[in-house]
Amino acid sequence: MANNSEQQDVASLTAEQAKAEFLTLEARLQAADLAYHQADAPEISDAEYDSLKRRYRALAQAHPELEAVATQLDSVGAPAASGFGKISHAIRMLSLGNAFEDEDVADFDRSIRKYLGFGSGDSLAFTAEPKIDGLSLSLRYEHGKLIQAATRGDGSIGENVTANAMTIADIPHQLDGAPDVLEVRGEVYMSHEDFEALNARHTERGGKTFANPRNAAAGSLRQLDAEITRARPLRFFAYSWGELSEALAETQMDAIERLRGLGFQTNPLTRLCASVAEIISHYRSIEEQRATLGYDIDGVVYKVNDLALQGRLGFRSTTPRWAIAHKFPAELAWTRLEAIDIQVGRTGALSPVARLTPVTVGGVVVSNATLHNEDYILGRDSKGEEIRGGKDIRIGDWVQIYRAGDVIPKVADVDLSKRPDGAEPFAFPHTCPECSSPAVREEGDAIRRCSGGMICPAQAVERLKHFVSRAAFDIEGLGAKQVEQFHTDGWIKEPADIFDLQSNYGSGLQQLKNREGWGEKSADNLFAAIEEKRTIPLAKLIFALGMRHAGEVAGRDLALHYRDWTAMADAIDTARPAALAHRAADEAEEAERLKAADEGRRAKISDTRAAAVAVCEVPADAAAAWSDLVGVDGIGAVLGLSLSDAFSNPEERAAIDRLIGKLTIVAPDAPAADSPVAGKTVVFTGTLEKMTRAEAKARAEALGAKVSGSVSKKTDILVAGPGAGSKAKKAAELGIQTLDEDGWLELIAEA
Ligand code: IVH
C-alpha cells in the first residue's frame, strides 16, 4: 500500500505529469523484472525496486486512467514468453502503397494532382529516401524524455519494447528543445557487417543463425531480456512521426532536418525532388549504390513535401495518399514444379498452388507459389489473350519463380526445352476437391468456384477463420489454428457455434479444459474473450460475415448508412426483386450484345435493359430500397447483388440469423455533436472549384456526414457546383436544402 503522503503527492500531479512518470516507472520496473528473473542479473536493490513499485501503485490508485492500462500492477516476475505489454498507438502506424514501374510513380503523381485539383503545371515537390528493410518502431517522448517504445504490431496496437529500445545507441533517451509530446517513428535495422559478425559468433557457439539482417534485427529487438538486445548491434533511422503537441516544421524535409537536429540518425540519401523525373533519377542513383550501402534497402519512399498538402491528402484504410514505396525489381529463380494443388477459399474460389522443389529467391526459401487461375496455367490472361507467349504450365516443368518484397511468389515463366517427355496439360478440376460439388465458372469470371456453399467444409473453415480474424471478431485465443481444430472435431460448424462453446463444452462430458493443449485457465480465458466479443460494432459484423466483395471499407460504409442491423437486413430483403431485375437486365444486355456482335449490328442496349426490367415487374418499394443500397457511396451493383444473394440464400440466411440472435450489435459512433453536418446525408453534384470530389467526400465524412451519390427523400443537403443538372432539379422538387460550394465551406468552417 502506498503511504498517505505519497498518495497526496501523486494526487496533486496533473494527468499528463502522472502519465509521464507512470510510464517511466513502468519501463524501469519491467526492465528490473527482466534483469532479475530472466537474466539472473539484478540491476537494482530490492529496496529500490520496492520503492519504485510503491510509487507506481500510488500513481495508479490516484489516476484510474493509468490503472486501466497498467501492466506492472500485479506482475510477478517477467511476463510470459509471448508477453510484451500492449501499447495502443495514439496515431495508427500505417504501411505504404507500392509502385513497381516508373509508370506507377507517374500515376501516383497524377492521382495526387487530381485529388488536390492541381494542374500539370502546378509545382508539387516530393522527398525521396531509401526504404530501409528492418522493422518500424515508434518512440514516445514526453517533455523531452523517452518514455515508451512500441513496435508497429497490427498498426493500432504494438508491443511495448521500451526497455529494449533504450539499449539502442542511435535512440536518444533525452531530447533538448523537442515538443512536449513527440512520437518519433523510424526503422530499426542491422548493418551487413554486424549481421555477418553476429552469425559468425552464433555459428562458433553452435547457436542458430539468422536468415537475413531484417530477421536478425526483429529477433534482437523482440527479446524479453533487454540485456540480450543490448548485446546486439541495432541501429535506428528516424523518418516519420506520430502524435505531436506542436508541428515539427512545414515540410517533410524540414521535419526530418529537425529530427536530425534533435539527435536522431536520418538517412543521408534523403533528397528533395521537384518532379517525377527527378524522383526517378534519384531512385536510379540509390539503386546503383544499393550494394555498397552496408545495410538492406528494398526500394525508395516518396513523400509529398508540403505537410499541409499531406494533411489534405490524408489516408486510405491502411496507407497514406501522400506517400508511396517504389520497390526494386523482383528477384527471380528457376526450379521444378512438382505438383499443382487446388485450394478452396472462403468464397469457394478454387486457387491453384504450385508445389516446388525448394529454391532460394532473394534470401528466402520458396516452396509454394500461386498460379492464379486456370487461364493463367493455360497461358492466357483474363481477356483471353496470350501470356508467356501462350506457353502452358505442366507438372514436371522447369519454372521461373518471381518474388517482389512481401508479394506472394508467382510462377512467371516456363522453360519448354526442359519439359519432361509425356508431360500432360493440366486438367483443372470441374468439381470441388473438398466436397465434390460442381465447380462453376460464371461468364466473365476468371475464377472457378465450388457451388457447395455452407456444405463445403473448406469454405466453412475459411469463413470461420475470416470471422475470427483481426479486422473481424478478433477473439483472443481463437485464431485460425484453433478454429480449424474445433471445426474438424465438430465443435464449431458456423459462427453462431462460437457463442455456444461455453454452454456446450464448459461443463458436461466433453469439456474444453480437458482437451489437449487446453487447461482450466486457458479455457476460462477463451470463454471470457468470446463473451467480450458478443458485443460487436455493426461495421465489423458486416465484414466478419465474409460475403463476397464486402470488405472492411464496405462494412464501414454500410454501417454508417444503415446504422442498424435490422434496418440494413430489411432494406436488403425489400430490395430483392429489384436486385433480380438488375441481374436479369445485365444478362439480357450481355445476350443482346453477343447476338448483335454475331449479326454485325449495334445493340440497342437501353431498350433491352428496359424490356428486361419491365418483365420483372419490380414493386416501387423494392426499386427504392435497391437504389438506396447501390447509391451508398462505394457500394454499387456488384456488391449489392452479392449482399442480396447472401441474404436470400436460405441456409446462409439461417446461419446469419442464428448468429445475430446471440449478439449485441453496436451502432457506429454518434457523429460528433459539435459538427453542423453530423448525421446529415449530403450529395455533391456539379463541378467543385475549391476542392476535388474525393476531398469533399473525405472531409464531409470526417465531420460525421454521410455522402451519397444520389438525391432522395433522405438527402439533407445538396452541394451544387456549376453545371449541376438533374440532381439539383430533384432536390428542388423535394425541398432539400441546396448550397453552393462557398455556402458548404462556410457551413463546415464552424466545425
Ligand atoms: S514512411 C505513413 N519511410 O516501410 C507512412 N517507411 O512498407 C510511414 N519503411 O511500415 C512510413 N523505410 O516500416 C517510411 N523511409 C521510410 C521507410 C519506411 C522503411 C517501412 C516502414 C513501413 C513500411 C511500409
Side-chain angles (χ1 to χ4, degrees):
M1 253 331 259
N3 63 34
N4 279 343
S5 67
E6 202 148 46
Q7 269 177 346
Q8 265 169 13
D9 168 32
V10 293
S12 66
L13 297 176
T14 66
E16 211 178 336
Q17 287 166 333
K19 185 173 178 198
E21 191 188 343
F22 181 81
L23 292 170
T24 314
L25 282 170
E26 192 159 64
R28 288 187 62 191
L29 284 167
Q30 217 168 8
D33 272 347
L34 286 165
Y36 185 85
H37 290 277
Q38 288 194 347
D40 282 329
E43 281 178 341
I44 55 174
S45 70
D46 288 358
E48 199 179 339
Y49 181 87
D50 288 344
S51 114
L52 292 177
K53 192 93 181 205
R54 237 191 343 264
R55 178 85 183 161
Y56 180 80
R57 288 209 179 104
L59 283 163
Q61 257 174 19
H63 297 269
E65 75 280 13
L66 298 177
E67 187 163 18
V69 296
T71 60
Q72 296 290 311
L73 273 180
D74 297 303
S75 72
V76 179
S82 65
F84 286 98
K86 287 186 174 169
I87 286 181
S88 176
H89 297 297
I91 293 180
R92 285 213 305 147
M93 288 182 80
L94 296 167
S95 62
L96 292 168
N98 288 327
F100 295 98
E101 309 292 336
D102 293 357
E103 191 47 39
D104 300 337
V105 180
D107 282 347
F108 168 68
D109 177 76
R110 259 194 297 274
S111 70
I112 289 182
R113 286 176 183 279
K114 187 162 170 228
Y115 190 97
L116 295 172
F118 277 22
S120 54
D122 292 320
S123 62
L124 181 63
F126 295 92
T127 57
E129 72 206 56
K131 182 169 186 303
I132 316 298
D133 200 5
L135 68 153
S136 47
L137 187 67
S138 184
L139 304 169
R140 188 175 175 94
Y141 291 84
E142 288 185 7
H143 307 288
K145 211 165 157 194
L146 174 61
I147 58 144
Q148 182 175 289
T151 62
R152 179 168 125 182
D154 66 357
S156 301
I157 296 177
E159 287 171 329
N160 185 344
V161 290
T162 312
N164 309 49
M166 286 192 162
T167 69
I168 299 176
D170 284 347
I171 296 180
H173 292 192
Q174 184 71 46
L175 306 175
D176 269 345
D180 284 351
V181 175
L182 167 63
E183 280 183 8
V184 176
R185 293 181 174 173
E187 204 83 353
V188 173
Y189 68 102
M190 196 179 279
S191 74
H192 291 159
E193 204 183 329
D194 289 336
F195 166 70
E196 303 293 347
L198 177 70
N199 268 355
R201 279 206 307 278
H202 279 207
T203 313
E204 231 168 70
R205 288 194 223 133
K208 83 171 182 115
T209 55
F210 291 103
N212 53 48
R214 185 180 184 283
N215 289 359
S220 302
L221 182 70
R222 298 184 69 260
Q223 284 289 335
L224 284 176
D225 178 355
E227 286 314 301
I228 299 185
T229 311
R230 192 188 299 281
R232 303 276 174 82
L234 293 175
R235 297 167 190 240
F236 180 79
F237 273 131
Y239 52 62
S240 162
W241 53 91
E243 196 178 354
L244 295 173
S245 54
E246 66 194 72
L248 285 172
E250 287 183 4
T251 64
Q252 177 76 29
M253 203 65 189
D254 289 349
I256 296 301
E257 190 50 40
R258 176 98 192 271
L259 291 178
R260 205 172 68 81
L262 287 170
F264 290 93
Q265 299 298 320
T266 59
N267 196 286
L269 293 174
T270 309
R271 292 277 182 284
L272 187 59
C273 301
S275 65
V276 170
E278 274 185 35
I279 285 182
I280 302 285
S281 122
H282 191 46
Y283 171 88
R284 299 265 179 271
S285 149
I286 292 179
E287 196 177 20
E288 274 169 24
Q289 299 173 64
R290 187 181 181 189
T292 53
L293 286 179
Y295 50 87
D296 275 355
I297 62 172
D298 57 349
V300 181
V301 181
Y302 310 136
K303 299 171 184 166
V304 168
N305 188 43
D306 184 327
L307 297 182
L309 294 182
Q310 285 191 9
R312 277 178 66 188
L313 287 158
F315 303 88
R316 300 180 206 92
S317 55
T318 58
T319 56
R321 285 196 190 86
W322 44 264
I324 199 163
H326 189 180
K327 300 300 244 347
F328 291 131
E331 317 247 11
L332 299 168
W334 288 89
T335 188
R336 182 83 59 200
L337 174 63
E338 293 180 353
I340 298 178
D341 286 349
I342 304 291
Q343 285 179 348
V344 183
R346 169 166 64 85
T347 58
L350 266 49
S351 311
V353 178
R355 304 292 180 206
L356 308 161
T357 307
V359 61
T360 306
V361 193
V364 173
V365 178
V366 173
S367 45
N368 301 312
T370 175
L371 287 163
H372 304 287
N373 55 50
E374 57 186 304
D375 286 348
Y376 190 81
I377 298 177
L378 288 173
R380 290 199 299 258
D381 69 9
S382 59
K383 295 191 196 94
E385 285 173 20
E386 279 190 358
I387 48 172
R388 297 186 301 272
K391 289 181 278 184
D392 70 331
I393 297 172
R394 303 184 185 185
I395 295 167
D397 268 342
W398 193 247
V399 290
Q400 188 186 46
I401 308 306
Y402 162 105
R403 195 183 144 261
D406 291 336
V407 177
I408 305 167
K410 303 199 263 207
V411 171
D413 204 0
V414 185
D415 186 346
L416 289 186
S417 71
K418 293 194 173 153
R419 175 164 285 173
D421 289 340
E424 295 281 338
F426 181 70
F428 202 92
H430 286 206
T431 52
C432 171
E434 300 284 342
C435 72
S436 306
S437 303
V440 225
R441 195 171 156 184
E442 278 173 18
E443 186 80 46
D445 192 353
I447 306 288
R448 191 170 284 280
R449 285 173 208 279
C450 161
S451 58
M454 301 292 275
I455 66 143
C456 176
Q459 283 190 56
V461 140
E462 291 306 320
R463 279 182 177 214
L464 285 167
K465 285 189 197 164
H466 171 80
F467 187 83
V468 298
S469 65
R470 253 203 189 144
F473 272 67
D474 191 20
I475 298 172
E476 190 147 358
L478 192 63
K481 212 172 82 198
Q482 291 82 0
V483 154
E484 206 158 322
Q485 191 57 52
F486 287 135
H487 183 263
T488 308
D489 298 347
W491 283 22
I492 296 179
K493 295 192 201 68
E494 59 179 55
D497 297 338
I498 294 173
F499 297 94
D500 286 340
L501 203 63
Q502 182 165 18
S503 52
N504 289 339
Y505 302 102
S507 58
L509 274 180
Q510 280 187 300
Q511 285 193 39
L512 177 59
K513 67 177 183 191
N514 297 333
R515 279 178 63 140
E516 201 188 319
W518 294 88
E520 181 116 27
K521 181 130 182 71
S522 54
D524 284 349
N525 284 348
L526 177 61
F527 294 146
I530 292 172
E531 269 328 289
E532 197 183 309
K533 294 295 162 78
R534 218 179 259 279
T535 302
I536 193 86
L538 179 57
K540 276 192 192 275
L541 168 67
I542 299 169
F543 171 66
L545 293 176
M547 294 172 290
R548 245 176 107 191
H549 306 296
E552 259 183 284
V553 175
R556 215 186 49 216
D557 288 345
L558 288 163
L560 280 174
H561 184 74
Y562 290 106
R563 309 197 69 78
D564 169 69
W565 171 265
T566 313
M568 183 182 88
D570 285 351
I572 296 174
D573 289 343
T574 310
R576 182 65 178 163
L580 290 175
H582 184 93
R583 176 171 288 137
D586 272 354
E587 283 163 4
E589 187 179 314
E590 185 58 25
E592 175 66 14
R593 204 180 306 230
L594 289 173
K595 200 164 127 228
D598 262 1
E599 292 167 7
R601 61 178 170 82
R602 281 168 73 98
K604 274 208 214 127
I605 296 302
S606 50
D607 293 355
T608 318
R609 273 203 90 90
V613 174
V615 169
C616 296
E617 284 181 33
V618 177
D621 61 342
W626 173 252
S627 85
D628 186 51
L629 172 63
V630 300
V632 178
D633 225 49
I635 300 299
V638 173
L639 176 55
L641 273 170
S642 163
L643 297 173
S644 176
D645 287 348
F647 274 67
S648 53
N649 172 320
E651 286 107 47
E652 196 160 343
R653 181 58 178 271
I656 293 177
D657 288 344
R658 279 192 289 275
L659 170 70
I660 300 301
K662 299 182 190 300
L663 302 175
T664 306
I665 304 165
V666 185
D669 274 350
D674 51 357
S675 153
V677 296
K680 302 250 164 97
T681 299
V682 182
V683 175
F684 291 97
T685 188
T687 315
L688 300 180
E689 287 163 332
K690 302 204 168 125
M691 53 192 167
T692 62
R693 244 338 139 72
E695 200 179 351
K697 174 173 183 286
R699 279 194 72 185
E701 283 176 349
L703 292 170
K706 280 185 284 184
V707 178
S708 170
S710 59
V711 173
S712 74
K713 274 186 289 191
K714 289 195 187 146
T715 310
D716 295 300
I717 303 171
L718 179 78
V719 182
S726 61
K727 285 183 195 167
K729 204 166 140 229
K730 186 161 178 198
E733 280 164 18
L734 292 169
I736 289 163
Q737 181 188 9
T738 301
L739 299 172
D740 62 9
E741 193 177 0
D742 284 336
W744 166 255
L745 288 172
E746 214 169 285
L747 176 66
I748 61 172
E750 298 157 22

